[in-house]
Amino acid sequence: MSASAKAPTNPEGHAMSFDPRHRSRHLYEGYDRAPARAMMHGIGFSREDLAKPCILVANTWIETMPCNYHLRRLAELVKEGIRAAGGTPMECNTIAISDGVAMGTEGMKASLVSREVIADSIELVGRGHSFDGLVALVGCDKTIPGAALALLRLGVPGLVLYGGSIAAGKLDGKDITIQHVFEAVGALAAGKIDEQRLEQVEDAACPGAGACGGQYTANTMALGLEFLGLSPVGYNTIPAMDPRKEEATRQAGALVMKLLEKGQRAADVLTPASFENAIAGVATTGGSTNSVLHFTAMAREAGIPLELADFDRVSRRTPIYASLLPGGEFTAPDLDAAGVCRLVAKRLLDAGLLDGAQKTADGRTWAEHAAEAQEAAGPHGQRVIAPAGQPFKASGGLVILRGNLAPDGAVVKMAGHERTAHAGPARVFDREEDAFEAVKKNAIEPGDVVVIRYEGPKGGPGMREMLGVTAALVGQGLGESVALLTDGRFSGATKGLMIGHVTPEAAVGGPIAALRDGDEVVIDTEARKIEVRLSATEIARRMKAWRAPAPRYTVGVFAKYAALVSSAAEGAVTRADLTALTAPASRARTNTLSRGRAPKPKAQVAKAKPGKRSAGSRVGAAPSGRRGKVTVRGRRAR
């Protein structure tokens, strides 16, 4: 603060301990900042505007999907709320990739990569223009964790506001969603419906703007952010085109100014217990396995320990109280009508499964919000959320498996099917497209274990979701008789015994790379096991002959991502190799050389044997004796 500046005061004129202009003051205050102010005058910002706290409104609007299409309208509303509460909003836009549109194509590899680009771009604007606070408007899947990661990195007061669910489509008097379109594709391939019926499902499934309407990844993460305290309680469940969204958005703009006045940042509400609350919220609603990936990434950004075992522990003790698609009966707007997140929290709190002392976005506790829960009335009550003490299932939907196929873990969602075990022959595919072709040709048989590998964070790169394959299998009537195993991901709309996030992934020499057609794969979710019936000796023999495939991309964003991304067990986060900045000078010089900034001295260059990759390869097998452990740029993963 400059010597001439007054101490910060709130609208009532009272002095505040936290400076609401803690960052923008350095950008716009003082005679030496006249050039910056002059630039802003050119686009309509007055001296008075620039003397107020500056709030970044980070929008993820895009015209390539319904999920984010309505966010321009919400941006204007949240800016109204910010201005009315004494702030100056400034809007920027970042990217978004539609999982539903890109699913099953090479473009789907961009989805998880986009989470990092979204986080990086919002962080860059926030730092570059010294914003005091942040409101991020999000919709499709990766925009939600991407914005949350940016908020955590910036360390400013702020909120992540979810645009809301699309309304359910109507066909033959029943609600349908995009999930039903994917399943109809499989039904057509199996000859169960004709093309005219597929077109009817296609035309009815998406009646307007908003994100996919079940408890798929977007709605899962939106609910999770309310439990974490990064979104206002009850805001995210309001459907996209519901008239209530407008006033709620203005109020959210005012709330961010209150957070700024108090100096409440994301780090002030995020705790190990709040992450456990969020996991419980996901588990009890049968939410997406992608929450494992995103919560893990967010916890690492916040410096909070969170491991795969924590998800399994919390989910095991948490019953399923909500009957939501894909595993249940109802859509996300039905949850809003039944009693929103507060009612879910009340069920968990009454069962002793939620820490009611944790703070929400408005600073109040979950116990306070749960006490205000209002359950939908009516002649038959509501059927979306089960009565207290009468859950739909005794334990939650997220299960972590380990074994000789996944030493570092794999994730399966148990909501939506009753099978807890499966054993069958592996049908191995090295690309999602090859597996989908086999499904379309009706080449998958009951009992098979479909294996799709080299689709992990590095191998894809980008860890594609496999909804096209899984939904087609369900549409063909194979959902209860086959299993699927991948080092890629599954959409939140996936149902059936589908195991994803297998780590270590195939591209770094994980044991899944040793699988061959016909190998018997055994899945036992009760025992938390995923194994192939091969001896350790046989797996080692196969892996000795294994060679890492050539990178699919050698330039551009995918190549950069593959070089930096960590294991799915660590949230598939990208991180720089900072060894050179902390190592002794001699070692730092070696690291600099190895990155190609100068050629290595000839004495340091070891020729690789034909068919083998050098030790400096970005993707390769783990060292002998440590196979199955993920190595990230020369370091063993935690």
Side-chain angles (χ1 to χ4, degrees), residues 117-412:
V117 176
I118 292 162
D120 291 351
S121 61
I122 296 174
E123 180 191 3
L124 282 170
V125 175
R127 293 190 189 281
H129 290 270
S130 301
F131 281 100
D132 302 305
L134 168 68
V135 176
L137 294 167
V138 297
C140 193
D141 301 0
K142 308 312 169 294
T143 62
I144 304 174
L149 290 170
L151 180 59
L152 289 168
R153 292 176 189 174
L154 287 170
V156 297
L159 297 168
V160 179
L161 302 181
Y162 174 54
S165 170
I166 194 172
K170 300 288 184 182
L171 185 64
D172 300 333
K174 296 181 179 179
D175 289 350
I176 66 169
T177 70
I178 191 67
Q179 170 190 339
H180 297 89
V181 186
F182 280 99
E183 291 176 2
V185 171
L188 177 65
K192 294 186 175 184
I193 62 172
D194 58 22
E195 290 190 18
Q196 182 180 6
R197 182 60 176 178
L198 175 60
E199 288 182 1
Q200 291 174 344
V201 177
E202 173 188 335
D203 292 345
C206 299
C212 300
Q215 194 65 347
Y216 312 144
T217 303
N219 285 309
T220 294
M221 289 302 299
L223 180 136
L225 259 60
E226 288 194 24
F227 274 106
L228 285 169
L230 302 184
S231 298
V233 175
Y235 178 88
N236 289 352
T237 53
I238 302 174
M241 304 311 293
D242 190 307
R244 294 174 296 145
K245 201 77 171 181
E246 294 193 4
E247 183 55 31
T249 303
R250 291 190 188 93
Q251 291 176 7
L255 175 58
V256 78
M257 294 305 297
K258 292 179 181 178
L259 298 182
L260 192 59
E261 183 178 328
K262 295 190 297 183
Q264 178 180 307
R265 314 172 202 231
D268 298 323
V269 295
L270 288 183
T271 66
S274 68
F275 272 100
E276 291 204 4
N277 282 353
I279 295 169
V282 169
T284 200
T285 56
S288 170
T289 55
N290 283 314
S291 61
V292 177
L293 201 69
H294 301 319
F295 287 167
T296 303
M298 291 164 60
R300 275 166 167 69
E301 203 69 60
I304 293 173
L306 186 66
E307 306 297 335
L308 291 182
D310 296 316
F311 289 88
D312 193 74
R313 173 176 53 81
V314 174
S315 182
R316 191 189 286 261
R317 75 189 184 206
T318 306
I320 294 182
Y321 266 106
S323 177
L324 296 170
L325 290 169
E329 182 179 355
F330 299 99
T331 64
D334 293 323
L335 176 63
D336 176 69
V340 304
C341 193
R342 288 186 182 88
L343 186 57
V344 175
K346 180 172 172 54
R347 291 288 189 269
L348 294 174
L349 196 61
D350 289 347
L353 299 170
L354 190 80
D355 186 339
Q358 296 305 303
K359 288 184 177 181
T360 62
D362 62 8
R364 300 168 66 208
T365 67
W366 268 111
E368 293 174 281
H369 276 284
E372 298 173 355
Q374 294 182 352
E375 191 163 353
H380 305 292
Q382 58 83 20
R383 297 183 295 119
V384 183
I385 302 172
Q390 302 176 43
F392 294 109
K393 293 183 75 171
S395 62
L398 301 176
V399 172
I400 306 301
L401 307 179
R402 297 182 190 273
N404 64 2
L405 276 177
D408 292 347
V411 184
V412 60

Side-chain angles (χ1 to χ4, degrees), residues 337-487:
V340 304
C341 193
R342 288 186 182 88
L343 186 57
V344 175
K346 180 172 172 54
R347 291 288 189 269
L348 294 174
L349 196 61
D350 289 347
L353 299 170
L354 190 80
D355 186 339
Q358 296 305 303
K359 288 184 177 181
T360 62
D362 62 8
R364 300 168 66 208
T365 67
W366 268 111
E368 293 174 281
H369 276 284
E372 298 173 355
Q374 294 182 352
E375 191 163 353
H380 305 292
Q382 58 83 20
R383 297 183 295 119
V384 183
I385 302 172
Q390 302 176 43
F392 294 109
K393 293 183 75 171
S395 62
L398 301 176
V399 172
I400 306 301
L401 307 179
R402 297 182 190 273
N404 64 2
L405 276 177
D408 292 347
V411 184
V412 60
K413 180 168 69 173
M414 296 304 296
H417 64 94
E418 299 301 323
R419 281 187 301 159
T420 60
H422 182 94
R427 293 291 310 279
V428 182
F429 303 93
D430 289 349
R431 295 169 66 246
E432 180 191 2
E433 289 87 349
D434 297 338
F436 190 59
E437 283 301 311
V439 175
K440 288 197 297 184
K441 294 176 180 177
N442 299 307
I444 304 301
E445 299 180 358
D448 283 349
V449 178
V450 179
V451 178
I452 307 177
R453 63 189 180 188
Y454 296 104
E455 291 284 4
K458 285 183 176 291
M463 206 178 179
R464 287 191 287 186
E465 292 180 352
M466 307 293 162
L467 179 59
V469 176
T470 61
L473 288 170
V474 171
Q476 290 185 2
L478 293 171
E480 291 299 320
S481 60
V482 302
L484 195 149
L485 179 68
T486 181
D487 52 8

